[in-house]
Amino acid sequence: MKKKGLSIILMFVLVFNAYIVVLVNVNNIVWAQQYYGSIEYYNYVDGMNLTISIMYVNITVYNDAPNSLWLIVPRDWNGSILSSNNLLLNVERHPLYLNSEENPFYANLTINYHGPVSFSITYKHPYTLLIVEPNAVYFSPLLGHSSWLRRTYVLDIKNVNFKVVRSFSPAPVKIMTGMDSLRAIFEGNNFNRVSLFLTMNNYGRFVNVSMGNLVIKTPERYYSFAYDLLNQVFMYYNNMTNLFGSSLGEIVITFYVPESQSDFSVGGYVPYSGGEVGDIHVNLIYYRGINGELLLIILHELVHRFLFKLNIDPNKLLWVH
């Protein structure tokens, strides 16, 4: 009898412990995201026209999905929405707020509909691929949408003579390369940009744009932009010579593109070594920034040159930043 009672108690303890283990494990479960539809971004970049890339957005909404969704589009988007069943009720465009500030480049597009439904949106985006040989960077538009849509992002690059993809963010689930072409596929909702860093096969063709003693060394493909930028810099430079009571010798400005994720935050720099200042290096990714941002970066670096001309050590005046 004692043996039987002991067995019952032991069984109770085991069952009770098993219940506790199950309870703890249930509490620690990370429940899978419930998806009610899918969204696929397809960005086509043609090396024959790097000024503009085309973004195709295809959305499929399931039967039990909510009756409205939102996604991020360029602020100047004025295209149309192609629907599979003509059950779109209305489309509204609102300002996009990030960190409590209105974004100057993008808007919130809210779509109301009767599901299930599939529809597509197309928009253009400037300079998603920037090339300053031997480097190139792809930086996608800002991505964002209703969280219940499962995302796929497809990048298709054609007619670009690259040598190797050095790195990317996030990691693609698949990447295929061919003769002057690349296709990369990304999945998941945990990123809001796609970036790729490439090395080109050739060194490209560079030209000099000159005004007075100012020179911009640029890939030929950006000549028009460099000319307009230099025209603005030259006007401010003349004012700065009066302000500092001094002029500078030849000033060379060169473009570069980010070679890694950390380079995005640096607008430009002037090398300082051995008591000499080098050329002004300007991050071309800021060409996609607010109008005038590259100009301010160059003027900032010109201040360093003027201070150096007045025998003020740049290392002792980091407060200028």
Side-chain angles (χ1 to χ4, degrees):
M1 189 70 181
K2 278 186 177 180
K3 201 173 201 179
K4 185 175 180 183
L6 188 61
S7 298
I8 292 173
I9 292 172
L10 182 60
M11 185 178 297
F12 172 78
V13 170
L14 291 174
V15 170
F16 180 76
N17 285 342
Y19 171 75
I20 294 297
V21 169
V22 170
L23 187 63
V24 170
N25 286 344
V26 167
N27 286 338
N28 287 332
I29 288 176
V30 178
W31 297 104
Q33 167 69 46
Q34 180 69 45
Y35 293 109
Y36 297 99
S38 63
I39 180 168
E40 180 187 85
Y41 293 88
Y42 175 82
N43 192 201
Y44 178 70
V45 181
D46 189 346
M48 303 299 289
N49 180 17
L50 290 173
T51 305
I52 290 291
S53 70
I54 309 297
M55 180 72 83
Y56 302 92
V57 185
N58 299 306
I59 299 173
T60 299
V61 177
Y62 307 150
N63 192 42
D64 53 352
N67 290 325
S68 69
L69 61 81
W70 69 272
L71 72 152
I72 293 174
V73 296
R75 191 170 182 174
D76 60 356
W77 179 82
N78 59 358
S80 58
I81 300 176
L82 299 178
S83 170
S84 63
N85 60 8
N86 297 317
L87 292 180
L88 300 185
L89 301 180
N90 69 301
V91 178
E92 302 169 356
R93 183 164 47 185
H94 305 284
L96 177 67
Y97 288 93
L98 299 174
N99 300 321
S100 302
E101 294 186 2
E102 184 176 348
N103 189 280
F105 305 108
Y106 298 96
N108 174 330
L109 190 70
T110 299
I111 304 171
N112 299 291
Y113 50 81
H114 284 307
V117 63
S118 296
F119 50 90
S120 60
I121 299 170
T122 303
Y123 61 82
K124 297 179 180 180
H125 198 286
Y127 296 104
T128 51
L129 181 66
L130 291 165
I131 303 174
V132 180
E133 287 87 351
N135 299 310
V137 61
Y138 170 84
F139 192 53
S140 77
L142 182 65
L143 307 175
H145 50 77
S146 297
S147 61
W148 49 265
L149 290 170
R150 183 191 296 271
R151 181 196 303 161
T152 301
Y153 190 96
V154 180
L155 169 63
D156 210 355
I157 299 177
K158 302 288 188 183
N159 302 312
V160 174
N161 187 16
F162 69 94
K163 183 178 182 180
V164 65
V165 180
R166 296 193 311 275
S167 60
F168 32 70
S169 177
V173 296
K174 192 172 186 180
I175 187 165
M176 298 154 281
T177 59
M179 183 68 70
D180 297 343
S181 66
L182 176 152
R183 172 174 281 206
I185 301 174
F186 305 82
E187 292 182 349
N189 290 19
N190 58 345
F191 59 91
N192 57 19
R193 297 274 193 180
V194 169
S195 55
L196 273 77
F197 304 91
L198 307 98
T199 299
M200 303 301 292
N201 251 330
N202 51 54
Y203 286 90
R205 176 178 169 81
F206 286 76
V207 295
N208 290 339
V209 184
S210 304
M211 289 184 189
N213 60 326
L214 302 178
V215 179
I216 291 184
K217 184 180 180 181
T218 176
E220 191 174 34
R221 65 179 65 87
Y222 305 123
Y223 176 87
S224 295
F225 162 70
Y227 179 86
D228 293 340
L229 178 62
L230 189 60
N231 195 41
Q232 298 174 60
V233 173
F234 186 71
M235 178 181 67
Y236 284 98
Y237 171 78
N238 288 332
N239 293 334
M240 294 173 81
T241 58
N242 294 329
L243 176 66
F244 286 96
S246 178
S247 61
L248 304 174
E250 183 181 66
I251 303 296
V252 178
I253 302 165
T254 64
F255 293 142
Y256 72 95
V257 294
E259 296 183 45
S260 67
Q261 205 70 27
S262 61
D263 289 343
F264 282 116
S265 61
V266 180
Y269 64 93
V270 174
Y272 178 65
S273 177
E276 295 293 332
V277 291
D279 297 341
I280 294 175
H281 293 72
V282 180
N283 191 342
L284 196 58
I285 197 69
Y286 284 84
Y287 186 18
R288 284 176 50 178
I290 296 171
N291 187 33
E293 196 162 11
L294 270 182
L295 172 62
L296 289 177
I297 291 170
I298 294 173
L299 295 180
H300 172 93
E301 301 303 340
L302 278 175
V303 169
H304 284 296
R305 297 297 292 261
F306 275 106
L307 292 175
F308 181 79
K309 180 69 180 292
L310 297 175
N311 295 318
I312 299 175
D313 188 342
N315 289 327
K316 296 178 181 179
L317 276 183
L318 291 180
W319 56 265
V320 171
H321 290 83

